[in-house]
């Protein structure tokens, strides 16, 4: 086929230069086989006239094509599609607009390595939301973070934070964190014992990837945190579920498993177990450490909401009594600043920390250095401590208010235990309501609540309990939410 | 043993309250077996007198211990270490200061899953640095980023960016990026075809994890980018090395491998191949697409420095002709803003993108939402485009200046080809100098340069070439660096 002006389209509204559009169009025709190697192209004047553009535009397009070796230019002979392009067989002209939306069968085969992992679901826009237990982003100290960022615009030394930094995380942040963890949790550690991560999630992922090989046994609580269970299973781990009662995970059940099988890892949330909000009792903590020592398994201590305690003081982390080097302590500032600000940490024995740091380098090389420096400053100047005090006071009040409302309006429908800290209350539908049905009814009336289906790994278990996150609702929102919940429960009687 | 004041230490300089220090001390003694279950504890008055603290402090400590179930309190009888604590055998009293620095044999066994991955090495402080090819952080547009962050402090809707967001990345950023990639690269895509990642590194990691199973064959150039090779090998891939000449990776070698073995993946840097800076020629691009189609392998097109072109226009990405859905296109803003600002992206077929997005959720849930929103604004208002123009002009000048200096001072020692873009020049030591030796001599004189050992996967290959990153040195620094390099080469003659 001969190239004529009607084979090329120009759209002057595009930001892409006209000569580039022409060059791209010609390339597309060569690729698709409409223009074959060696075939003659019109002179720049002819094509310019036909397309009603300036001749210089066509010259620029041909220059571009020549620079990219798509055409050969022979003085006094003319311009030709390059002969040197091999293997350019004619192809079916496909829809160029969405090459990536081709049906699956024409794309390469992808093994499903992420079965069962759910993606982000938003609650209905505008609804009130009893979420899973998140802080109130309306009180997030963004202005503090921004203040730190403003400093970066001035400080002359900022540019060194812009180059690649240590994979283990900002040295300043690790130093401040070591002090913070000592003062708040009694951990006697140095900056070298810490890896800065993107939230608890990355700490879990790294640990699972390094510790687990296919079919390694991982003990988790049932009900438990599906976000962790998914990570362990994706890494090849085989979950062993142990019951959780009011004192935390059942250590007799743990020991029974240890006697029968080689256990590699146990996952525990010591404060406010997700979802049931119970705190692991001191005697079980000690027993757990003993079991870990005797049966030589590792413990992930996920203490993500240690800093949010309202009634009693927090108990010390297992990691503070980690004489045998088998506790991996992980925590987060995602609840302190905001879930969208991804800073977490891991404290672990050196040999392990070196391994996870290497893996972390492969995954994303390092964290956000500026954000880490900002966090270091906020820890150092006491802003984090002050914010935590303020937030604890507020969430304490909200917890109490929600408990009061539930007792006043729903005492014949709901039972619950007041959680000592954290962001949510675990409520049981006394009359065995279907959790999904109540959620559906509530949503119709403008309240998003959990459908109760994510708490149990055993999907056949008939669950009649859900979490009500109280921290991100103020008193009048709590009142309104409880009113709707009450109606939704009433409507869910058959 | 009976608890006496000399078993407890108080440090008033610590931020941790005195009562908590006392409680922690008593817990430590119970754990270590110095205080056995059921044994009597002194009255608060006795202990307060002995320790010279207020009685209320001891009462608070005992309250804390009681709340944590470490002690039993019997009215009119006294206070006792709780009997209910099981399994508290006496233990050797270890050094509490560094429980995490115990020798490896006492910690749990960690399989070495990250062999061969090197951790961060800094160049000597204060040295001039011909780095591997990084932008100059001194011109990084931090003030633009900070301007965007300042807006976040004001805008009322900021709080929605602080909650969990979509794993695929900010909707605004993906929309802006789709336009940007269309205008600059001719990619006809929508926001749904993009995953925002933490730099190119995460895009490589995710792709390798989802595509590769053990011993899957991955074709890479030799010499090549060790950061990518490590990712493929860690995911179980088996590397097949193909030569790289002045037109890019050798397609005959690729085809020869395809004829013998089932190839799963090919990794290519189309512009300015790392390390040799060559650009893949148009005919090889087309041949590569044909081979990928015929032999059904996937292509990772790592186009991380597309936006930095000085001499000719960039050629279009393979992904722009991706009729068969087997090109995964990845890129980055880490070179546009700064390496420490981690934003990259991946454009891929839908079925694949869903898989990698799920995996990304497991790894770190999502990116930095605020940073992503800031980037979206910078793209939208043209700041990125303007900065790229400025940076291209500057780096173009620096490339020319370094070429001029090398020609003037080192033409009998060094050969090189002027790279069309990017951040580095690939120089050959004509007289076959030992790269490590030259680096050592240069370092002694205040210039850090590559020791040349990371470019070839085959560690037995005798390499006499290194990369000189020119972008982060100004003209006088380039002059000084070349002077030192010249002396270092002279000193490296035996």
């Amino acid at each position: 086929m001969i190239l004529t002006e009607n084979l090329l389209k120009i759209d002057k509204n595009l930001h892409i230069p006209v000569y580039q559009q022409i060059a791209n169009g010609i390339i597309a025709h060569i690729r698709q086989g409409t223009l074959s190697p060696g075939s003659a192209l019109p002179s720049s004047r002819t094509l310019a006239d036909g397309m009603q553009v300036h001749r210089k535009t066509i010259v620029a397009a041909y220059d571009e094509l020549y620079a990219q070796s798509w055409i050969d230019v022979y003085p006094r002979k003319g311009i030709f599609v390059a002969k040197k392009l091999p293997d350019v067989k004619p192809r079916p002209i496909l829809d160029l607009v969405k090459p990536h939306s081709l049906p699956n069968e024409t794309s390469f085969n992808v093994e499903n390595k992420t079965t069962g992992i759910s993606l982000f679901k938003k609650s209905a826009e505008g609804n009130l939301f009893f979420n899973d237990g998140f802080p109130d982003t309306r009180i997030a100290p963004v202005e503090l973070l921004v203040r730190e960022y403003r400093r970066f615009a001035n400080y002359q030394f900022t540019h060194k934070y812009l180059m690649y930094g240590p994979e283990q995380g900002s040295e300043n942040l690790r130093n401040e964190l070591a002090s913070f963890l000592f003062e708040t949790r009694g951990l006697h550690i140095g900056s070298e014992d810490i890896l800065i991560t993107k939230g608890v999630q990355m700490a879990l992922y790294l640990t699972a990837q390094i510790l687990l090989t296919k079919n390694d046994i991982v003990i988790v609580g049932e009900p438990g945190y599906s976000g962790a269970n998914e990570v362990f299973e994706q890494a090849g781990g085989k979950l062993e579920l142990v019951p959780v009662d009011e004192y935390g995970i059942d250590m007799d059940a743990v020991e029974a498993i240890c006697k029968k099988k080689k256990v590699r890892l146990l996952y525990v949330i010591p404060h406010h177990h997700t979802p049931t909000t119970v705190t692991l009792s001191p005697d079980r903590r000690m027993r757990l450490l003993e079991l870990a020592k005797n049966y030589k398994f590792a413990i992930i201590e996920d203490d993500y909401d240690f800093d949010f305690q309202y009634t009693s003081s927090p108990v010390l982390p297992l990691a503070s009594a980690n004489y045998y080097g088998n506790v991996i302590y992980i925590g987060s500032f995602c609840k302190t600043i905001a879930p969208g600000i991804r800073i977490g940490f891991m404290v672990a024995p050196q040999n392990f920390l070196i391994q996870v740091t290497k893996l972390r380098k492969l995954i994303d090389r390092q964290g956000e250095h500026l954000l880490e420096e900002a966090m270091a400053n906020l820890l150092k100047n006491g802003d984090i401590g002050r914010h935590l005090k303020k937030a604890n006071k507020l969430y304490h009040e909200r917890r109490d208010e929600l408990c009061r409302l539930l007792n006043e309006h729903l005492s014949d429908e709901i039972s619950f235990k007041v959680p000592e800290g954290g962001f949510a209350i675990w409520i049981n539908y006394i009359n065995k309501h279907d959790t999904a049905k109540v959620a559906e009814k509530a949503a119709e009336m403008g309240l998003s609540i959990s459908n109760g289906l994510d708490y149990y790994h055993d999907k056949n278990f008939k669950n009649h309990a859900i979490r009500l996150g109280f921290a991100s609702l103020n008193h009048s929102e709590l009142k309104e939410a409880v009113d709707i919940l009450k109606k939704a429960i009433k409507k869910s009687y058959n």
Side-chain angles (χ1 to χ4, degrees), chain A:
Chain A
M1 191 178 278
I2 292 165
L3 180 69
T4 53
E5 57 273 17
N6 50 18
L7 284 178
L8 295 168
K9 269 189 201 146
I10 296 172
D11 181 348
K12 298 217 173 176
N13 293 320
L14 293 182
H15 288 210
I16 195 165
V18 170
Y19 84 90
Q20 187 86 53
Q21 292 186 41
I22 294 170
N24 291 353
I26 294 173
I27 292 170
H29 286 303
I30 299 175
R31 279 185 162 140
Q32 291 157 22
T34 29
L35 293 173
S36 42
S39 63
L41 293 173
S43 73
S44 53
R45 192 178 306 272
T46 313
L47 195 54
D49 288 349
M51 300 192 72
Q52 295 180 295
V53 297
H54 196 282
R55 193 181 149 233
K56 274 190 181 164
T57 306
I58 304 296
V59 170
Y62 280 167
D63 279 352
E64 178 64 25
L65 291 168
Y66 182 71
Q68 294 187 25
S69 306
W70 289 101
I71 58 173
D72 293 329
V73 178
Y74 299 103
R76 286 188 308 272
K77 274 182 158 181
I79 298 160
F80 303 84
V81 176
K83 281 194 188 135
K84 220 184 121 217
L85 305 174
D87 289 341
V88 193
K89 311 256 164 57
R91 291 184 194 166
I93 296 172
L94 296 178
D95 178 12
L96 269 170
V97 180
K98 285 263 171 235
H100 297 300
S101 304
L102 290 175
N104 285 353
E105 52 268 32
T106 62
S107 10
F108 54 93
N109 188 35
V110 176
E111 267 184 77
N112 200 325
K113 294 194 186 177
T114 54
T115 319
I117 298 163
S118 55
L119 288 180
F120 183 73
K121 267 172 285 174
K122 274 206 270 192
S123 71
E125 203 77 44
N127 267 11
L128 275 171
F129 190 13
F130 268 134
N131 60 35
D132 194 53
F134 305 135
D136 192 341
T137 53
R138 291 172 297 195
I139 68 154
V142 189
E143 73 289 353
L144 295 178
L145 205 58
V146 170
R147 187 194 66 204
E148 295 305 320
Y149 268 80
R150 288 174 74 160
R151 285 192 192 164
F152 293 137
N154 304 322
Y155 284 1
Q156 233 204 317
F157 57 76
T158 298
H159 78 261
K160 84 174 174 187
Y161 301 142
L162 296 173
M163 191 34 76
Y164 295 114
E167 299 92 0
Q168 217 179 321
S170 143
E171 185 79 33
N172 288 335
L173 178 55
R174 285 183 287 121
N175 278 324
E176 293 303 325
L177 194 53
S179 305
F180 180 77
L181 295 179
F182 175 69
E183 287 173 19
T184 55
R185 290 145 168 91
L187 293 182
H188 298 265
I189 54 169
S191 66
E192 69 281 9
D193 301 310
I194 299 174
L195 170 69
I196 305 297
T197 62
K198 308 299 289 178
V200 154
Q201 190 67 33
M202 181 179 264
L204 288 173
Y205 180 82
L206 293 171
T207 302
Q209 289 294 317
I210 292 296
L211 274 189
L212 301 179
T213 43
K214 202 159 170 56
N215 294 323
D216 271 352
I217 288 177
V218 182
I219 297 181
V220 298
E222 172 83 332
Y225 175 46
S226 62
N229 292 350
E230 285 174 350
V231 168
F232 302 138
E233 290 194 313
Q234 200 269 345
K238 224 174 140 291
L239 300 186
E240 286 280 346
L241 311 172
V242 294
V244 179
D245 62 23
E246 60 183 309
Y247 303 110
I249 54 179
D250 179 339
M251 289 302 149
D252 289 337
V254 171
E255 185 157 20
I257 295 168
C258 291
K259 280 181 176 163
K260 278 189 286 186
K261 299 173 180 181
K262 175 70 197 143
V263 172
R264 179 70 173 160
L265 179 64
L266 179 143
Y267 172 71
V268 63
I269 302 172
H271 291 100
H272 331 124
H273 176 79
T274 300
T276 63
T277 80
V278 298
T279 291
L280 192 66
S281 69
D283 56 326
R284 290 202 187 172
R285 278 162 200 258
M286 301 194 58
R287 181 131 175 244
L288 176 54
L289 284 169
E290 284 293 314
L291 289 172
K293 178 192 154 205
N294 295 338
Y295 292 100
K296 295 193 173 31
F297 58 81
I299 297 170
I300 295 182
E301 183 176 24
D302 179 354
D303 213 3
Y304 74 100
D305 64 358
F306 177 97
D307 293 315
F308 294 88
Q309 313 272 353
Y310 316 131
T311 318
S312 74
S313 288
V315 281
L316 290 176
L318 294 165
S320 69
N322 181 21
Y323 305 138
Y324 302 102
N326 50 3
V327 178
I328 297 153
Y329 184 77
I330 65 186
S332 173
F333 288 107
C334 296
K335 297 282 189 283
T336 308
I337 307 283
I341 306 296
R342 313 292 302 151
I343 293 215
F345 54 86
M346 176 194 289
V347 177
Q350 275 293 312
N351 62 335
F352 182 73
L353 209 66
I354 289 168
Q355 293 286 319
V356 288
T357 302
K358 282 183 177 180
L359 179 58
R360 195 261 154 86
K361 185 192 169 200
L362 282 193
I363 291 175
D364 66 351
R365 189 148 192 158
Q366 65 176 81
E368 294 298 331
H369 208 153
L370 285 186
L371 178 59
E372 292 181 2
E373 292 299 324
M375 277 300 298
N377 284 346
L378 295 181
L379 276 170
K380 190 173 188 173
N381 61 27
D383 280 319
I384 293 291
R386 278 186 293 276
H387 176 71
L388 279 173
K389 222 169 210 168
K390 196 173 105 182
N392 267 274
K393 184 167 174 293
L394 182 71
Y395 297 154
H396 188 169
E397 286 166 9
R398 290 181 177 179
R399 180 202 66 175
D400 290 349
E401 178 64 7
L402 179 56
C403 291
R404 196 187 64 71
L405 289 166
L406 293 176
N407 281 328
E408 188 178 321
H409 298 284
L410 281 163
S411 58
D412 50 348
E413 292 288 1
I414 276 170
S415 70
F416 65 92
K417 240 192 111 179
V418 181
E420 288 173 358
F423 302 89
I425 297 177
W426 176 246
I427 61 160
N428 277 279
Y429 295 135
I430 296 172
N431 299 314
K432 310 254 176 248
H433 277 295
D434 182 306
T435 49
K437 192 171 176 187
V438 179
E440 197 190 310
K441 297 289 174 198
E444 287 167 8
M445 291 181 280
L447 172 69
S448 295
I449 58 171
S450 165
N451 62 12
L453 305 181
D454 279 345
Y455 305 127
Y456 284 81
H457 194 71
D458 174 4
K459 293 302 168 208
N460 295 320
F461 182 83
K462 262 285 167 216
N463 171 39
H464 301 289
I466 64 165
R467 275 165 76 87
L468 297 184
F470 55 76
S472 49
L473 299 175
N474 63 31
H475 286 211
S476 71
E477 290 163 338
L478 286 172
K479 173 78 174 68
E480 197 185 336
V482 168
D483 284 347
I484 300 176
L485 179 60
K486 187 175 182 173
K487 286 183 207 153
I489 292 174
K490 295 295 173 213
K491 282 200 180 182
S492 300
Y493 279 102
N494 290 326

